[in-house]
């Protein structure tokens, strides 16, 4: 993409409404624009990162054997009246009536809708196990929408639902989700710690939230610092293996880590004092096992091998896809702007032309641009007639992890400069070597072209 042809409305001033750094940088980098309280338009740069995160979530869900689909944002109230949650959900639910006076709502979650789909089409244990998921906009009329996409009213969520014959099978699905979530967050450059939590309006008493530690997080958390040493890494996992998934769950959840809702001071005090931490975190996902809560209410039964009918065992599992942009920025920025992890960066690298209009510099930039594009990478080429300082400030603000700087002086010696956004370190390389290095950096990350 050439910056002269892109739509990147960066702001020079700090927007006064933004209280936390991620919100400030998302507005300043021209990623989002508020359209109403807690409701945002996703401008091209923000949309690109949103889609990268969404792609990682899809890839990891499908890798775990979960099946993608799409349900609508608007739902009929009937199913919610059947489950009893129409009244329970209270003012967080946006209620609408259509021209015929029928009660509708903008879905805050989809347990009822998916259970209805299941009961219409599945009646036998032979069709189990089954996990369906979608990534769709949700609406919760939060009393205090704030911090930009972090606590929105309209927000983008991955929500998955498992259907199993027995509690044991459903717990395997739960563990499978935990593993797939660990992998997803790590690909986004995040450490998200599973912590025992509360079921809230979704229900069930077996649930973990995934928290990214950050001072600006809305949740108070209590944990044994040993949990921050754990990483999933690139280990191979067989998602069908009950033992392997259970093993990962035990490894990642056996140490004390709880949100304030389930915090137990006596248990916490058993953690050696020097490892006890009280901190704040951003909830980027939550998994639930709630058994037959919805299947009983909606009559979603399956026939077992013995011919007997019983309500299907279920759980639901959510990732806050739009919230993740804020969480990643909270975890990865400096005073100049965002620092995108390679896995989610909107463009793989920036190209800064120090002397636009200089025939040699222009040609060198064009050839770098072509070489990177030819190997499937997406550069953002700042081809504007601007001073170098302004170009650097924009690149630093929007946070591309790598920048190639091209100027007549370097070209005389056959070199360009490759700079890491994270370390600030630069090295002089031939243009070919710079391309090669970027190719190597991204060899371990998803590289496909974004939107
Ligand atoms: C699990 C999937 C559920 O709704 N039903 C379907 C279950 N869980 S949840 O914890 O309530 O939400 C899942 C994740 O969505 C994100 N989230 C939000 N993101 C932005 N703004 C909001 N107002 C908001 N509310 C929830 C969180 O990341 C949460 O973990």
């Amino acid at each position: 993409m050439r910056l002269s042809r892109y739509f990147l409305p960066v702001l020079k001033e700090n927007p006064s409404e933004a209280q936390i750094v991620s919100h400030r940088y998302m507005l300043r980098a021209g990623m989002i624009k508020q359209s109403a309280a807690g409701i945002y338009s996703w401008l091209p740069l923000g949309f690109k990162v949103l889609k990268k995160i969404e792609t990682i979530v899809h890839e990891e869900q499908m890798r775990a054997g979960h099946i993608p689909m799409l349900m609508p944002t608007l739902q009929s109230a009937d199913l919610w009246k059947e489950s009893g949650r129409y009244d329970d959900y209270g003012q967080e639910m946006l209620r609408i009536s259509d021209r015929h006076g029928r009660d509708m709502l903008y879905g805050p979650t989809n347990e009822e809708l998916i259970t209805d789909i299941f009961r219409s089409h599945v009646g036998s244990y032979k069709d189990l196990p089954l996990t369906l998921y979608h990534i769709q906009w949700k609406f919760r009329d939060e009393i205090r929408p704030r911090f930009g996409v972090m606590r929105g009213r309209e927000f983008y969520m991955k929500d998955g639902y498992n259907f199993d014959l027995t509690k044991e099978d459903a717990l395997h699905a739960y563990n499978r989700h935990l593993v797939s979530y660990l992998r997803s967050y790590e690909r986004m450059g995040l450490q998200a710690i599973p912590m025992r939590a509360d079921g809230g309006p979704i229900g069930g008493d077996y649930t973990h939230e995934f928290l990214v530690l950050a001072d600006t997080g809305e949740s108070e958390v209590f944990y044994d610092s040993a949990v921050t040493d754990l990483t999933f890494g690139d280990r191979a996992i067989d998602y069908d293996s009950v033992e392997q998934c259970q093993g990962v769950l035990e490894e990642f959840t056996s140490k004390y880590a709880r949100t304030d809702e389930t915090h137990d001071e006596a248990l916490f005090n058993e953690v050696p004092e020097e490892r006890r931490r009280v901190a704040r975190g951003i909830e980027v996902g939550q998994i639930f096992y709630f058994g037959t809560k919805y299947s009983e209410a909606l009559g979603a039964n399956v026939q077992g091998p013995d011919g007997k009918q019983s309500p299907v065992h279920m759980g639901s599992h959510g990732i806050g896809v739009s919230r993740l942009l804020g969480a990643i920025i909270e975890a990865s920025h400096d005073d100049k702007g965002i620092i995108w992890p390679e896995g989610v960066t909107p463009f793989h690298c920036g190209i800064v032309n120090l002397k636009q209009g200089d025939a040699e510099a222009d040609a060198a930039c064009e050839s770098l641009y072509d070489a990177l594009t030819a190997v499937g990478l997406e550069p953002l080429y700042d081809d504007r007639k601007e001073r170098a300082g302004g170009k650097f400030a924009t690149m630093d603000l929007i946070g591309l992890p790598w920048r190639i700087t091209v100027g007549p002086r370097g070209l005389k010696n056959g070199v360009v400069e490759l700079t890491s956004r994270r370390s600030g370190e630069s090295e002089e390389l031939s243009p070919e070597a710079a391309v090669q290095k970027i190719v190597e950096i991204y060899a371990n990350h998803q590289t496909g072209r974004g939107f």
Side-chain angles (χ1 to χ4, degrees):
M1 180 59 65
R2 288 170 167 74
L3 195 44
S4 64
R5 298 187 199 169
Y6 200 44
F7 181 64
L8 185 73
V10 299
L11 307 178
K12 292 240 157 50
E13 304 299 327
N14 272 330
S16 58
E17 74 266 32
Q19 299 162 33
I20 62 172
V21 69
S22 56
H23 189 194
R24 195 152 60 232
Y25 283 155
M26 286 185 78
L27 292 170
R28 283 197 49 208
M31 296 176 68
I32 51 169
K33 181 178 187 315
Q34 182 174 307
S35 83
I39 304 178
Y40 292 87
S41 293
W42 293 77
L43 306 182
L45 193 75
F47 178 65
K48 226 160 163 15
V49 180
L50 186 71
K51 289 286 149 183
K52 290 246 167 152
I53 293 174
E54 179 180 359
T55 301
I56 291 178
V57 173
H58 268 302
E59 287 177 358
E60 293 304 329
Q61 286 311 298
M62 289 190 279
R63 195 199 301 276
H66 306 157
I67 303 169
M69 60 178 294
L70 187 60
M71 289 176 269
T73 53
L74 294 184
Q75 305 181 19
S76 155
D78 294 348
L79 288 170
W80 290 73
K81 291 178 180 162
E82 218 178 316
S83 75
R85 276 210 297 183
Y86 192 61
D87 293 327
D88 289 357
Y89 226 92
Q91 292 204 300
E92 259 194 30
M93 183 187 275
L94 182 66
R95 295 153 206 262
I96 307 161
S97 62
D98 71 8
R99 67 197 297 164
H100 305 293
R102 288 190 203 106
D103 291 335
M104 311 278 293
L105 54 99
Y106 193 134
T109 178
N110 285 54
E111 280 80 7
E112 283 77 358
L113 207 54
I114 197 83
T115 308
D116 178 53
I117 292 169
F118 181 88
R119 72 178 174 186
S120 307
H121 298 289
V122 184
S124 163
Y125 75 96
K126 290 180 190 152
D127 296 321
L128 305 181
L130 178 67
T131 295
L132 299 168
Y133 78 93
H134 73 160
I135 302 181
Q136 177 61 293
W137 294 95
K138 305 287 185 292
F139 198 95
R140 292 182 186 172
D141 205 353
E142 301 278 353
I143 189 158
R144 233 153 79 84
R146 58 178 184 161
F147 301 161
V149 300
M150 209 74 103
R151 181 160 297 277
R153 291 198 298 165
E154 189 185 45
F155 61 99
Y156 208 36
M157 189 208 286
K158 171 264 161 182
D159 41 324
Y161 305 86
N162 68 283
F163 300 92
D164 290 278
L165 183 62
T166 63
K167 180 173 179 183
E168 291 67 45
D169 291 350
L171 290 176
H172 173 54
Y174 185 94
N175 299 346
R176 217 171 47 226
H177 278 90
L178 181 125
V179 178
S180 69
Y181 280 25
L182 290 173
R183 285 187 66 116
S184 306
Y185 298 126
E186 280 192 20
R187 281 186 62 186
M188 298 170 200
L190 278 180
Q191 177 169 50
I193 304 167
M195 301 199 183
R196 275 304 289 264
D198 181 73
I202 306 294
D205 53 11
Y206 188 50
T207 173
H208 285 89
E209 285 182 7
F210 290 78
L211 286 118
V212 172
L213 298 174
D215 293 340
T216 48
E218 292 189 289
S219 316
E220 187 172 33
V221 296
F222 301 81
Y223 63 95
D224 176 341
S225 66
V227 296
T228 58
D229 298 335
L230 298 168
T231 51
F232 189 79
D234 58 1
R235 58 180 106 168
I237 182 108
D238 173 2
Y239 279 110
D240 289 333
S241 162
V242 171
E243 294 73 31
Q244 283 188 27
C245 292
Q246 174 74 26
V248 174
L249 174 111
E250 281 165 10
E251 179 185 345
F252 280 82
T253 64
S254 57
K255 301 261 173 355
Y256 192 93
R258 294 187 178 207
T259 64
D260 54 358
E261 300 153 340
T262 56
H263 177 56
D264 179 327
E265 197 64 30
L267 269 181
F268 189 48
N269 285 334
E270 290 174 16
V271 176
E273 194 175 354
E274 68 279 8
R275 298 208 319 243
R276 263 179 249 153
R277 299 283 185 280
V278 181
R280 304 201 69 81
I282 302 166
E283 179 204 328
V284 292
Q286 188 165 2
I287 53 179
F288 301 81
Y289 165 74
F290 43 67
T292 55
K293 171 174 173 180
Y294 298 92
S295 52
E296 276 187 54
L298 297 173
N301 297 316
V302 280
Q303 188 173 45
D306 54 4
K308 284 204 192 108
Q309 296 277 336
S310 60
V312 70
H313 282 262
M314 291 175 61
S316 71
H317 316 277
I319 292 184
V321 175
S322 49
R323 175 178 287 181
L324 273 164
L325 277 93
I328 293 169
I329 297 172
E330 289 297 325
S332 185
H333 67 269
D334 63 13
D335 56 2
K336 293 190 211 132
I338 303 165
I339 306 174
W340 290 115
E342 274 83 357
V344 299
T345 184
F347 295 94
H348 298 102
C349 80
I351 301 173
V352 169
N353 188 342
L354 292 177
K355 200 161 184 202
Q356 199 71 41
D358 174 273
E360 237 187 297
D362 291 2
C365 288
E366 290 295 334
S367 102
L368 280 167
Y369 188 90
D370 290 345
L372 289 161
T373 308
V375 293
L377 294 171
E378 241 185 327
L380 180 67
Y381 171 22
D382 191 344
D383 59 344
R384 298 169 306 160
K385 284 212 154 109
E386 280 246 352
R387 6 168 238 107
K391 290 189 174 186
F392 289 146
T394 300
M395 283 294 174
D396 285 344
L397 174 64
I398 68 171
L400 309 185
W402 298 94
R403 185 186 79 208
I404 303 178
T405 310
V406 180
R409 211 178 311 152
L411 289 176
K412 284 214 168 59
N413 301 319
V415 295
V416 296
E417 196 181 58
L418 179 64
T419 308
S420 154
R421 174 71 181 83
R422 192 170 294 277
S423 71
E425 280 165 21
S426 295
E427 58 179 323
E428 292 194 334
L429 295 167
S430 70
E432 296 74 27
V435 169
Q436 187 51 35
K437 180 138 187 200
I438 291 180
V439 168
E440 278 160 22
I441 289 162
Y442 285 101
N444 295 323
H445 296 277
Q446 144 215 11
T447 53
R449 285 181 70 86
F451 282 74

